[in-house]
Amino acid sequence: MKSLLRNARENKGLGTREVAKLLKIDAALVSKFESGQRNPTKKQLQQFAALYAIDLDELTLLWLKEKILRAIEGEPLGTQALIAAQNEIQPSQTKPQAAAIDALFEEMDALKTKIESLRDSHG
């Protein structure tokens, strides 16, 4: 999501201060969104999508993914909890959906491992 926000801002030829003024938020907050240090609120997400003329569904999907990753970061049972939640939401999912979800979980595990590795090398 952070890259999408930064690229969309740059493509519009806007600086972080201009965006902050237009959205009535602090410029430092815009920078934190673009660096991945913070996640925007749902309302801010909608404002970014409108300002940058980007697909709200795509932005929302990335936003939700970031929220989920932050929630399970460092949790040994995080992936299993995601699977349990998925099973509760869609208990009768088809096999192609299950394969896609399994692939997503594998990607999330790889990202989680990478985050932990980066944290260990900087800490």
Side-chain angles (χ1 to χ4, degrees), residues 8-72:
R9 176 183 55 77
E10 290 172 352
N11 289 339
K12 287 286 185 180
L14 297 169
T16 55
R17 287 186 179 146
E18 292 172 281
V19 170
K21 187 175 181 179
L22 290 167
L23 299 183
K24 297 180 174 111
I25 59 175
D26 188 63
L29 197 54
V30 174
S31 294
K32 287 180 180 182
F33 295 154
E34 291 184 5
S35 69
Q37 294 175 4
R38 295 267 312 264
N39 272 350
T41 64
K42 184 85 172 200
K43 180 181 176 184
Q44 290 165 336
L45 199 71
Q46 293 166 345
Q47 291 174 322
F48 278 117
L51 178 63
Y52 295 156
I54 54 179
D55 184 62
L56 180 59
D57 286 348
E58 178 184 1
L59 192 56
T60 301
L61 179 63
L62 294 171
W63 179 74
L64 287 168
K65 181 186 84 168
E66 291 295 322
K67 287 182 72 155
I68 292 167
L69 287 172
R70 286 177 193 249
I72 65 167

Side-chain angles (χ1 to χ4, degrees), residues 28 65 67 73 93 104 115:
K65 181 186 84 168
K67 287 182 72 155
E73 185 178 344
Q93 67 185 356
L104 180 60
I115 289 170

